[in-house]
């Protein structure tokens, strides 16, 4: 949305003696998606925009069309006319993004890389540190409100205890932002979204365990400042968006820019035909062979999804990604990551190990010889 404003694709347009503010022409936007490599072809571009319509992100300016047509029709982002539905989930997400941006932009941020049990975690903070900061910055009136805010963020998958064992408390327990709001993402990821997926099931993109700190220049989907906003033209619309947000809950702000949460190709059904235990994998004469894979990550990641726990397995492999080129296959079990034995760990911990490790990933996997 912000990139389209910058590129002047979104602007006031006149049609049949009436001016429609902050709108775009569908056909021009489809051209833009292809030119900026956000869609490989017109069909994909149409599907992407339809996805935004289905999620009440954009709509026809007169609501005369319920689907997105690649034609000279005018559409508008609902956030530009105050009709975006601010549900509790959206409010919590926007609130989490606002706090994250504020924290990462501080010189002495409480967000740090910390190590626990020989595992390094990104974007971490102590619960009591977060409470202190929220109260000091006026984000919460008192410690009780700050704890409630932290719990709301955790319940919506925005933060979590590093081993996912505790709720949010005013203590020296270590937490981390589970969503990296500055992660580089592509619009095409929306087409892989599973509507039944909960936010906490996976923090990463389809087929990719992404590095938490990508190379400079690829740090965000947006090419403008993250806090940049476009002024809503109508005063009536401005008041309507405030009323939608409501004033009953002091935690949630309507000011941050909404960016889509990271979405993942997350098949809720395991690719394994049956559960396999560590004892079965390691028993003498078991029908499994161990292989060592060296995977050199590219600009976006390594190209696979790991799921399950104790042991974890490979759920999906991008056929065009680095992992596939190294010989990775679905249903393999993860034995070690960069020399660390991981059969006893869950997929979230293994994901953290991979994302905080070097670009060249050395994995030992166990594969069935049946």
């Amino acid at each position: 949305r912000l990139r389209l404003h910058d590129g002047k694709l979104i602007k006031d347009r006149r049609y049949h003696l009436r001016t429609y503010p902050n709108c775009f022409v569908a056909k021009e936007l489809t051209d833009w998606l292809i030119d900026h490599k956000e869609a490989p072809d017109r069909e994909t571009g149409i599907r992407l925009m339809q996805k935004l319509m289905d999620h009440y992100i954009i709509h026809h300016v007169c609501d005369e069309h319920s689907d997105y047509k690649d034609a000279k029709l005018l559409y508008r982002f609902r956030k530009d006319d105050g009709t975006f539905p601010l549900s509790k989930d959206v409010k919590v997400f926007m609130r989490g993004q606002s706090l994250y941006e504020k924290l990462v932009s501080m010189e002495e941020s409480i967000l740090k890389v910390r190590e626990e049990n020989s595992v390094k975690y990104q974007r971490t903070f102590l619960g009591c540190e977060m409470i202190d900061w929220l109260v000091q910055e006026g984000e919460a009136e008192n410690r009780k409100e700050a704890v409630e805010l932290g719990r709301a963020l955790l319940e919506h998958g925005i933060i979590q205890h590093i081993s996912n064992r505790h709720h949010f408390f005013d203590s020296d327990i270590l937490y981390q932002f589970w969503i990296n709001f500055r992660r580089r993402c592509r619009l095409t990821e929306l087409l892989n979204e599973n509507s039944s997926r909960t936010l906490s099931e996976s923090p990463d993109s389809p087929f990719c365990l992404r590095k938490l700190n990508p190379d400079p220049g690829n740090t965000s989907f947006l090419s403008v400042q993250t806090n940049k906003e476009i002024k809503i033209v109508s005063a009536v619309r401005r008041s309507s968006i405030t009323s939608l947000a409501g004033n009953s809950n002091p935690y949630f702000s309507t000011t941050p820019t909404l960016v889509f949460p990271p979405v993942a190709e997350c098949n809720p059904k395991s690719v394994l035909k049956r559960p396999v235990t560590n004892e079965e994998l390691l028993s003498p004469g078991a029908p499994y062979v161990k292989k060592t894979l060296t995977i050199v990550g590219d600009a976006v990641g390594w190209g696979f999804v790991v799921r399950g726990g104790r042991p974890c397995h490979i759920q999906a492999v991008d056929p065009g990604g680095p992992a596939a080129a190294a010989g990775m296959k679905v249903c393999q079990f993860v034995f070690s990551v960069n020399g660390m034995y991981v059969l006893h760990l869950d997929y979230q911990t293994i994901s953290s190990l991979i994302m905080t490790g070097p670009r060249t990933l050395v994995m030992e996997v166990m594969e069935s010889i049946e």
Side-chain angles (χ1 to χ4, degrees):
R1 168 178 161 267
L2 296 180
R3 291 170 71 190
L4 294 175
H5 273 286
D6 273 1
K8 307 301 181 185
L9 266 78
I10 294 178
K11 58 186 178 182
D12 296 353
R13 298 175 186 270
R14 192 167 179 80
Y15 182 72
H16 283 181
L17 302 180
R18 180 179 174 182
T19 299
Y20 296 88
N22 285 339
C23 58
F24 60 86
V25 178
K27 190 175 184 302
E28 291 180 4
L29 180 54
T30 308
D31 293 337
W32 184 92
L33 290 172
I34 295 173
D35 292 342
H36 289 76
K37 302 188 186 308
E38 292 293 346
D41 49 52
R42 304 195 77 82
E43 180 183 358
T44 304
I46 294 169
R47 289 171 59 206
L48 284 170
M49 292 302 103
Q50 185 61 51
K51 195 77 170 179
L52 295 187
M53 290 195 72
D54 294 342
H55 283 63
Y56 301 100
I57 304 297
I58 64 173
H59 68 123
H60 182 257
V61 290
C62 297
D63 292 316
E64 293 177 352
H65 301 278
S66 59
D67 55 351
Y68 181 83
K69 298 181 182 298
D70 186 21
K72 291 184 178 181
L73 296 175
L74 299 181
Y75 292 81
R76 182 188 293 131
F77 280 82
R78 289 186 178 275
K79 201 169 182 203
D80 282 336
D81 61 15
T83 62
F84 184 75
L86 289 170
S87 65
K88 181 180 179 182
D89 289 345
V90 172
K91 291 176 185 177
V92 173
F93 181 82
M94 294 172 72
R95 179 65 163 157
Q97 184 192 24
S98 172
L99 293 174
Y100 181 84
E101 291 295 341
K102 192 171 181 178
L103 282 165
V104 298
S105 62
M106 295 176 62
E107 289 186 7
E108 297 293 332
S109 175
I110 63 172
L111 297 188
K112 299 176 182 177
V113 178
R114 291 180 172 91
E115 184 173 327
E116 187 165 299
N117 296 328
S118 300
V119 179
K120 288 185 178 180
Y121 298 92
Q122 301 279 345
R123 308 185 298 274
T124 66
F125 56 89
L126 298 177
C128 55
E129 283 182 335
M130 178 62 81
I131 299 298
D132 292 340
W133 181 82
L134 290 171
V135 175
Q136 291 169 6
E137 294 294 317
E139 298 287 349
E141 291 186 6
N142 50 54
R143 301 189 77 84
K144 181 181 177 182
E145 279 192 5
V147 170
E148 291 176 358
L149 171 55
R151 287 180 165 248
L153 296 175
L154 188 143
E155 289 167 3
H156 284 75
I158 294 170
I159 65 172
Q160 70 161 21
H161 176 251
I162 57 169
S163 58
N164 210 21
R165 294 177 181 173
H166 299 287
H167 212 309
F168 185 78
F169 295 102
D170 185 0
S171 67
D172 59 357
I173 297 176
L174 194 59
Y175 299 89
Q176 69 180 153
F177 269 86
W178 191 228
I179 296 177
N180 181 0
F181 287 98
R182 291 189 172 184
R183 184 186 66 88
R184 179 179 180 269
C185 59
R186 308 296 297 178
L187 270 178
T188 49
E189 292 180 24
L190 295 175
L191 300 180
N192 297 315
E193 181 186 11
N194 187 316
S195 59
S196 63
R197 179 185 67 90
T198 59
L199 197 59
S200 60
E201 284 180 359
S202 171
D204 291 293
S205 60
F207 302 129
C208 283
L209 287 167
R210 292 178 181 264
K211 294 291 286 185
L212 294 180
N213 295 309
D215 297 332
N218 290 324
T219 56
S220 174
F221 163 70
L222 296 177
S223 61
V224 295
Q225 294 105 341
T226 53
N227 62 350
K228 182 174 180 180
E229 275 300 316
I230 306 301
K231 185 182 293 185
I232 298 171
V233 172
S234 167
V236 176
R237 292 304 188 186
R238 281 199 295 272
S239 62
S240 66
I241 196 168
T242 304
S243 64
L244 278 169
N247 296 319
S248 59
N249 195 326
Y251 304 150
F252 306 129
S253 166
T254 60
T255 55
T257 303
L258 178 65
V259 180
F260 257 78
V263 291
E265 173 106 0
C266 178
N267 185 351
K269 187 175 181 180
S270 172
V271 295
L272 300 178
K273 294 180 180 179
R274 62 178 181 82
V276 176
T277 64
N278 285 338
E279 290 74 17
E280 181 179 347
L281 281 176
L282 301 175
S283 62
Y288 296 95
V289 60
K290 187 187 296 183
K291 295 183 177 181
T292 301
L293 308 178
T294 301
I295 308 168
V296 181
D298 59 18
V300 294
W302 294 268
F304 67 95
V305 171
V306 62
R307 286 289 180 268
R310 306 173 184 88
C312 288
H313 64 275
I314 304 302
Q315 175 76 6
V317 180
D318 178 1
M328 181 174 283
K329 302 175 183 177
V330 296
C331 297
Q332 290 174 332
F333 296 96
V334 185
F335 182 86
S336 72
V337 174
N338 294 327
M340 180 177 177
Y341 175 77
V342 297
L343 281 181
H344 62 296
L345 301 178
D346 58 28
Y347 80 89
Q348 292 174 331
T349 305
I350 290 178
S351 297
S352 294
L353 279 174
I354 295 171
M355 290 187 291
T356 56
R359 182 177 179 183
T360 299
L361 173 65
V362 179
M363 291 180 63
E364 288 183 296
V365 297
M366 300 189 72
E367 180 179 313
S368 172
I369 59 177
E370 296 177 344

